[in-house]
Amino acid sequence: MRLFRLAKIVSIASRYGIDEMIFEHEPSGRLAALSRTVHFWRRNTLPRAVRLRLALEALGPIFVKFGQVLSTRRDLLPLDIADELAKLQDRVPPFSPELALAQIEAAYGRPASKVFAEFDATPVASASVAQVHFARLHAEDGGHEVAVKILRPDMHGVIAHDLALLETLAGLLEKIWSDGKRLKPREVVGEFAKYLYDELDLMREAANCSQLRRNFLDSKLLLVPSVYWDHCTTTVMVMERMHGIPISQTAALTAAGIDLPTLSRAGVEIFFTQVFRDGFFHADMHPGNIFVADDEVHHGKYVALDFGIVGTLTDVDKNYLAQNFLAFFQRDYKRVAMAHIEAGWAPADTRVDEFESAIRAVCEPIFDRPLHEISFGRVLLRLFQTSRRFNVDIQPQLVMLQKTLLNIEGLGRQLDPNLDLWTTAKPFLERWMKEQIGWRALVRGINQEAPNWARTLPQLPRLVHQALSREEASDLAPLLEELAATQRQQNRMLGLIAVLLATLLVVNYL
């Protein structure tokens, strides 16, 4: 089966001229010449990025998803390829109703009619990993309208085969491509495998959904569905059914009386709140995953869907971003360069002045442009590309943050072309930086550590006494024994020297 799959990959790669894209980077040039000779009849008129996208679509859903993940690595890819791969969509035919019902029975050990009062066997959405059906719970379970996400059958076997082939191709790229080692294709495949296997566990997605809902439980801007945990397994996820208008349907939004400029600013506010307040953000915010509520109670609120991919930021990440943003607003490019080196992401021997000059070339021109023309995501992208020249190791979570920010910018300016992202984001950035740096950070740190201090301080005298006692009983004894042994060795040496001197004196006297 793997050989058949490999043959299909080679055939499709040949059809779209993917071999040319790879072999042209082989240092000797012999493989590229051989490829042109073998495929003398082939005429590739489409741009290379378009050909790559079409090839991935022809190879099937796993390769489409790989292209989607690859498009987020703009720190590694040429821009034309990254932009084209971002157009990849999951156009996957749904699996049959019989298979969906069989998956439910396998998950619960009983048929769908026993689990749900109503179940629509026709899916409302279908993607590469799972598809969604609408249903209703039994009255004793609350009778709620729900959305049931069902994992595609036999996904683990399919993914294992395709990942093994991707790893083989990545290893081949490293050997024949001049930039292969720098682009780290095997690491990219490993990162993709992690995301993919995470998406195969729907309990993990349910947990992501629950966390985001808890973070925005009282929000006036965002709705997140509740999770029905009693009905969730690793292969089936049941959540509240959400109603609304897809955010890409701007005409329908306007007809529903929703103010688009206000909606665009709200989207930016939601994103920055997730990042700067919670350090936990929805990292797959393309238009297919976002609705806008049009009912009387929640009119104009965002509705988040699909929580398979989320991003998290540690305190180290936040401190890095705080230092960079603060220095950026003050045009202190040396501080930006130093922040990279101090974080250990740039080599310690990096020339600060050269790094500073490169960063200045990226950032300085944007301050002379109207704010609504500035792309925050593009600035981060150019910083990442500049950092690559200095062997800076860009962290995956920051790349995911930059990719999500590009999505938010594109979505916001689709709703309002004059969206001023900087002005909208500035209050959040300023409040966040004050919390990360300065007296607020000190107060927060004291509040966090106070319970530990309250527990530890009364024990301090006893702990000190125990430490000193242990040092006398155990730590000092070996030291004293070593000192005594050294003293004895010195005494023996002095005795030997005395005997030698006495012998010399006797000899001289005779």
Side-chain angles (χ1 to χ4, degrees):
M1 181 177 178
R2 188 172 296 180
L3 288 175
F4 176 77
R5 184 67 168 147
L6 182 59
K8 182 179 179 181
I9 291 173
V10 171
S11 173
I12 291 175
S14 174
R15 185 196 316 166
Y16 290 100
I18 306 304
D19 52 305
E20 285 185 2
M21 297 171 54
I22 297 173
F23 293 156
E24 68 183 7
H25 294 278
E26 194 266 325
S28 71
R30 288 191 293 270
L31 291 177
L34 177 62
S35 177
R36 286 192 296 270
T37 302
V38 172
H39 300 96
F40 64 91
W41 47 267
R42 186 172 59 190
R43 297 291 182 269
N44 291 316
T45 57
L46 294 173
R48 62 174 186 173
V50 175
R51 286 187 281 122
L52 179 58
R53 175 178 60 80
L54 292 174
L56 292 174
E57 288 178 342
L59 286 169
I62 302 304
F63 282 80
V64 166
K65 187 164 285 292
F66 178 64
Q68 292 171 339
V69 172
L70 199 61
S71 72
T72 68
R73 296 308 307 266
R74 292 172 173 266
D75 57 318
L76 299 178
L77 293 177
L79 284 182
D80 63 324
I81 291 179
D83 288 339
E84 190 66 30
L85 293 185
K87 298 177 183 178
L88 286 168
Q89 299 293 327
D90 285 323
R91 299 186 181 93
V92 183
F95 52 88
S96 68
E98 291 77 19
L99 282 176
L101 294 172
Q103 283 286 86
I104 289 177
E105 186 165 355
Y108 298 116
R110 50 196 173 122
S113 59
K114 299 293 184 181
V115 181
F116 305 103
E118 302 172 15
F119 181 82
D120 187 350
T122 303
V124 294
S126 178
S128 56
V129 171
Q131 66 186 34
V132 179
H133 298 253
F134 287 150
R136 182 184 296 276
L137 298 178
H138 286 290
E140 56 267 28
D141 294 323
H144 305 291
E145 288 185 327
V146 295
V148 183
K149 189 169 187 176
I150 306 174
L151 195 69
R152 284 183 173 271
D154 304 320
M155 282 301 296
H156 285 275
V158 173
I159 287 173
H161 278 99
D162 281 355
L163 283 178
L165 291 174
L166 281 172
E167 288 170 358
T168 302
L169 292 173
L172 184 63
L173 277 178
E174 283 195 357
K175 292 179 180 178
I176 66 175
W177 196 351
S178 57
D179 276 349
K181 291 184 178 180
R182 180 181 63 79
L183 296 179
K184 304 175 183 176
R186 284 189 293 182
E187 290 186 18
V188 173
V189 172
E191 183 181 323
F192 169 62
K194 180 177 73 69
Y195 288 137
L196 197 55
Y197 280 121
D198 283 351
E199 284 196 68
L200 292 182
D201 184 354
L202 296 187
M203 286 294 286
R204 181 185 291 270
E205 180 173 346
N208 292 339
C209 176
S210 181
Q211 176 69 54
L212 193 64
R213 175 179 169 80
R214 186 162 61 252
N215 291 346
F216 284 84
L217 197 57
D218 300 319
S219 172
K220 297 179 180 179
L221 302 175
L222 178 65
L223 293 173
V224 181
S226 56
V227 175
Y228 296 97
W229 286 106
D230 291 342
H231 293 78
C232 289
T233 71
T234 56
T235 58
V236 179
M237 174 184 171
V238 179
M239 55 187 162
E240 178 185 2
R241 178 178 174 179
M242 308 301 286
H243 299 270
I245 302 171
I247 199 166
S248 58
Q249 298 180 9
T250 53
L253 293 174
T254 303
I258 294 170
D259 183 75
L260 298 188
T262 300
L263 188 66
S264 68
R265 291 192 296 273
V268 175
E269 183 175 340
I270 289 168
F271 172 72
F272 279 95
T273 300
Q274 290 179 49
V275 172
F276 301 136
R277 186 192 68 185
D278 305 324
F280 184 91
F281 59 95
H282 192 306
D284 198 17
M285 297 184 72
H286 61 75
N289 288 339
I290 303 173
F291 283 8
V292 180
D294 58 347
D295 60 285
E296 293 183 5
V297 178
H298 303 296
H299 190 267
K301 281 189 176 183
Y302 278 81
V303 179
L305 302 171
D306 196 341
F307 310 92
I309 302 177
V310 298
T312 57
L313 297 175
T314 66
D315 289 340
V316 173
D317 299 327
K318 287 184 177 182
N319 181 64
Y320 162 80
L321 290 172
Q323 294 280 357
N324 276 275
F325 278 125
L326 187 62
F328 176 77
F329 285 128
Q330 296 173 348
R331 303 197 193 191
D332 185 354
Y333 305 119
K334 183 177 181 179
R335 183 63 222 155
V336 176
M338 290 298 298
H340 281 75
I341 297 171
E342 290 169 358
W345 296 345
D349 59 353
T350 300
R351 284 275 304 267
V352 176
D353 57 334
E354 292 181 358
F355 198 11
E356 174 190 357
S357 178
I359 294 170
R360 181 183 293 109
V362 171
C363 299
E364 192 66 20
I366 74 170
F367 285 103
D368 294 328
R369 301 176 61 187
L371 289 177
H372 71 270
E373 294 182 7
I374 297 172
S375 168
F376 205 167
R378 296 284 177 188
V379 171
L380 279 180
L381 172 59
R382 290 194 62 191
L383 281 174
F384 289 168
Q385 291 173 329
T386 300
S387 299
R388 186 173 64 195
R389 288 170 40 204
F390 292 86
N391 297 317
V392 173
D393 186 13
I394 301 299
Q395 306 300 298
Q397 67 273 24
L398 297 183
V399 176
M400 188 180 292
L401 175 71
Q402 180 265 338
K403 168 255 184 183
T404 308
L405 188 51
L406 279 174
N407 285 345
I408 292 296
E409 275 191 323
L411 185 62
R413 286 179 175 158
Q414 177 183 336
L415 298 172
D416 177 17
N418 295 316
L419 172 66
D420 186 342
L421 186 72
W422 291 94
T423 301
T424 306
K426 190 176 179 181
F428 296 92
L429 292 174
E430 290 178 340
R431 182 165 61 249
W432 175 55
M433 287 187 291
K434 288 177 182 177
E435 290 173 354
Q436 295 296 313
I437 303 171
W439 67 269
R440 289 188 181 183
L442 177 62
V443 170
R444 188 178 67 254
I446 291 174
N447 288 335
Q448 290 175 348
E449 293 297 331
N452 293 329
W453 294 347
R455 185 172 59 254
T456 304
L457 284 175
Q459 305 174 28
L460 195 57
R462 176 171 54 82
L463 293 173
V464 170
H465 180 266
Q466 288 177 352
L468 292 174
S469 299
R470 283 196 301 271
E471 188 175 6
E472 286 181 2
S474 58
D475 294 344
L476 290 181
L479 291 175
L480 291 173
E481 179 59 34
E482 183 180 353
L483 182 61
T486 302
Q487 184 65 46
R488 288 193 295 270
Q489 184 179 10
Q490 289 178 347
N491 290 340
R492 286 194 295 270
M493 291 295 295
L494 290 173
L496 180 59
I497 290 171
V499 170
L500 290 174
L501 288 173
T503 302
L504 290 173
L505 287 173
V506 172
V507 170
N508 290 332
Y509 180 77
L510 296 175

